[in-house]
């Protein structure tokens, strides 16, 4: 799904998952300060439940549980109750967004307490995944991709306006910003650069609504967390934010999406050697003051869906596809013990494949055939039963 370069309906029906909360302590270094009052006024995850969407729940109950051992079934059932993000990775997924928002509206009207929020990933840029192959999308820059993307964003906007009484949290375009920081030496990324900027501006302007909070994707510690990449990343995020007239809906950044890094780890894994920012807490703590100085709101969420076992079996930090020895991480919560970190969340639904290991597939990426990748693996985004069993077996003790 990503490559980095160092620069030197459900059987049980839709449910909701209430986020545990706790008092928040200050980080060890500079805490975030207000950048724009509207964007940084409150944590959008506070006082809400996250919607456990029927698609993921159905995958677990229909595809997973029938073949699981009794010892894993209870963990699987618990995972089905967790609110995950629904990926709008194709235009034809947008109507499902409307279905889920309508479900949420019905539940909230019936007295859901706390009220339920919707969580979605906007992920359909033209020439998406420009530095890899496994998650290539439906639009091409050379074939009307920018216009098609704007139409896709308009469809999302229509749903958000229709359900303007539903708090909705978006993670925006995983991998795209990291590719602009480190991978412009890849021809496909360089050729898509101007289109990306145009799409970013249109989307962030169009989706700047009162009921919406947006987190731009910021890769992870092993990508943009290297010392040489931190300032270029902060500069890029601030530029994109200001190009869109500093939209109030932009709350901050999402890290570790579809990845495996620990939030905080005592001993840095061998595969992180050379980078003192070897976990996500160190990464966001290093990036935050640079963002603040550049004028970007320094608030974060971190994907913990697959970081429950540390260290992983990665032989290199850049190995991202269906990595072995991973486990379910902490359930979504605002109890992060950091003023920078709004919430731990499950952005990538655990057990949906990162990419196929079938070398004859048009979307085959070599990373999915590496020795540290679990094989055989299906196409990206489809259910991977063996991987789900691995995640259950290695789940974080708190799960």
């Amino acid at each position: 799904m990503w490559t980095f370069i160092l620069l030197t309906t459900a059987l049980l029906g839709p449910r909701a998952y209430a986020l545990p909360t706790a008092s928040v302590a200050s980080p060890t270094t500079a805490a975030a300060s207000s950048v724009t009052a509207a964007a940084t006024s409150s944590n959008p995850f506070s006082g809400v439940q996250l919607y456990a969407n029927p698609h993921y729940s159905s995958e677990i109950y229909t595809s997973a549980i029938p073949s699981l051992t009794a010892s894993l079934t209870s963990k699987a059932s618990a995972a089905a109750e967790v609110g995950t993000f629904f990926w709008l990775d194709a235009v034809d997924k947008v109507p499902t967004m409307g279905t889920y928002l309508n479900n949420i509206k019905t539940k909230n009207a019936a007295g859901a307490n706390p009220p339920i929020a919707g969580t979605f990933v906007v992920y359909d840029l033209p020439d998406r995944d420009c530095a890899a192959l496994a998650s290539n999308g439906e639009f091409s820059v050379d074939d009307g991709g920018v216009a098609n993307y704007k139409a896709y964003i308009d469809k999302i906007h229509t749903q958000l306006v229709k359900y303007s009484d539903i708090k909705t949290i978006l993670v925006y375009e995983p991998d795209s910003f990291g590719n602009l920081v480190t991978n412009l030496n890849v021809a496909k990324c360089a050729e898509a650069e101007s289109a990306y900027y145009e799409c970013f501006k249109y989307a962030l302007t169009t989706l700047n609504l009162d009921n919406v909070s947006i987190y731009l994707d910021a890769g992870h510690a092993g990508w943009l967390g290297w010392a040489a990449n931190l300032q270029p990343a902060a500069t890029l995020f601030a530029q994109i934010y200001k190009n869109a007239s500093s939209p109030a809906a932009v709350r901050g950044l999402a890290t570790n999406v579809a990845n495996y890094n620990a939030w905080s780890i005592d001993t840095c894994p061998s595969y992180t050697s050379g980078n003192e920012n070897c976990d996500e807490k160190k990464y966001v703590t290093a990036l935050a003051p640079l963002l603040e100085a550049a004028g970007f709101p320094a608030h974060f969420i971190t994907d913990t869906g697959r970081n429950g076992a540390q260290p992983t079996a990665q032989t290199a930090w850049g190995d991202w596809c269906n990595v072995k020895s991973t486990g379910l991480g902490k359930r979504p919560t605002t109890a992060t013990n950091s003023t920078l970190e709004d919430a731990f969340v499950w952005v990538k639904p655990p057990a949906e494949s990162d990419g196929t290991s079938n070398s004859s597939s048009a979307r085959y990426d070599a990373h999915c055939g590496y020795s540290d990748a679990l094989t055989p693996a299906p196409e990206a985004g489809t259910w991977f039963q063996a991987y789900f069993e691995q995640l259950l077996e290695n789940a974080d003790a708190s799960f």
Side-chain angles (χ1 to χ4, degrees):
M1 186 177 181
W2 52 265
T3 303
F4 71 84
I5 296 175
L6 176 60
L7 300 180
T8 63
T9 190
L11 298 180
L12 298 184
R15 298 167 182 264
Y17 179 81
L19 274 68
T21 59
S23 59
V24 179
S26 298
T28 55
T29 59
S33 60
S34 178
V35 176
T36 60
T40 62
S41 60
S42 63
N43 180 352
F45 291 90
S46 295
V48 297
Q49 303 179 63
L50 301 186
Y51 183 64
N53 74 71
H55 176 72
Y56 185 58
S57 178
S58 178
E59 286 182 313
I60 292 174
Y61 279 101
T62 63
S63 299
I65 286 180
S67 61
L68 289 177
T69 63
S71 63
L72 295 181
T73 297
S74 61
K75 286 184 179 181
S77 298
E81 302 296 321
V82 176
T84 61
F85 281 64
F86 183 75
W87 288 57
L88 305 171
D89 54 7
V91 173
D92 64 10
K93 298 283 188 69
V94 179
T96 303
M97 179 190 197
T99 299
Y100 291 172
L101 289 173
N102 186 63
N103 290 346
I104 293 170
K105 182 181 181 72
T106 299
K107 287 181 173 293
N108 286 348
N113 185 27
I116 304 167
T119 51
F120 303 90
V121 178
V122 178
Y123 185 55
D124 207 16
L125 275 176
D127 290 347
R128 185 182 75 195
D129 205 24
C130 64
L133 296 171
S135 300
N136 285 353
E138 61 186 345
F139 300 146
S140 168
V141 172
D142 293 335
D143 189 23
V146 172
N148 289 333
Y149 185 77
K150 290 180 179 179
Y152 157 81
I153 292 297
D154 289 343
K155 292 178 186 297
I156 295 173
H157 174 267
T158 296
Q159 298 292 349
L160 293 170
V161 170
K162 181 177 180 180
Y163 296 100
S164 60
D165 54 340
I166 306 301
K167 178 182 287 189
T168 303
I169 302 165
L170 305 176
V171 167
Y172 184 69
E173 292 297 346
D175 296 345
S176 59
F177 302 100
N179 280 327
L180 292 182
V181 174
T182 69
N183 289 329
L184 289 179
N185 63 316
V186 177
K188 187 177 179 182
C189 295
E191 292 163 2
E193 181 181 14
S194 62
Y196 277 21
Y197 276 98
E198 183 176 349
C199 290
F200 295 155
K201 181 177 180 179
Y202 186 82
L204 296 179
T205 302
T206 302
L207 302 179
N208 185 32
L209 301 168
D210 290 344
N211 59 313
V212 175
S213 297
I214 303 172
Y215 294 84
L216 280 57
D217 181 76
H220 63 92
W223 189 354
L224 300 184
W226 293 87
N229 295 340
L230 287 166
Q231 185 60 64
T235 300
L236 175 78
F237 288 122
Q239 179 185 359
I240 290 166
Y241 179 63
K242 293 173 183 177
N243 284 350
S245 301
S246 304
V250 172
R251 169 70 179 176
L253 301 177
T255 79
N256 207 41
V257 171
N259 208 64
Y260 315 96
N261 294 336
W263 165 246
S264 180
I265 195 167
D266 294 332
T267 302
C268 295
S270 59
Y271 49 79
T272 70
S273 179
N275 185 355
E276 64 181 12
N277 297 319
C278 66
D279 61 37
E280 296 303 294
K281 184 176 183 180
K282 292 182 178 69
Y283 170 39
V284 304
T285 301
L287 182 59
L290 302 179
L291 291 170
E292 292 171 347
F296 185 92
H299 303 280
F300 300 87
I301 58 175
T302 295
D303 190 348
T304 59
R306 304 192 297 179
N307 75 347
Q310 297 294 329
T312 71
Q314 287 165 287
T315 56
W317 213 357
D319 294 352
W320 51 265
C321 191
N322 302 318
V323 169
K324 295 177 181 177
S325 300
T326 56
L328 294 175
K330 292 184 181 298
R331 304 186 200 198
T333 180
T334 57
T336 66
N337 200 35
S338 169
T339 57
L340 297 175
E341 188 77 7
D342 284 344
F344 300 144
V345 290
W346 286 14
V347 181
K348 166 86 172 182
E352 293 185 357
S353 177
D354 295 313
T356 182
S357 58
N358 180 359
S359 60
S360 66
S361 170
R363 297 206 303 172
Y364 173 72
D365 189 290
H367 285 83
C368 300
Y370 284 2
S371 61
D372 57 3
L374 191 66
T375 60
E379 291 282 354
T382 57
W383 187 258
F384 191 176
Q385 178 69 12
Y387 206 82
F388 188 54
E389 293 181 17
Q390 171 186 285
L391 291 170
L392 294 174
E393 291 166 353
N394 297 328
D396 181 273
S398 66
F399 188 84

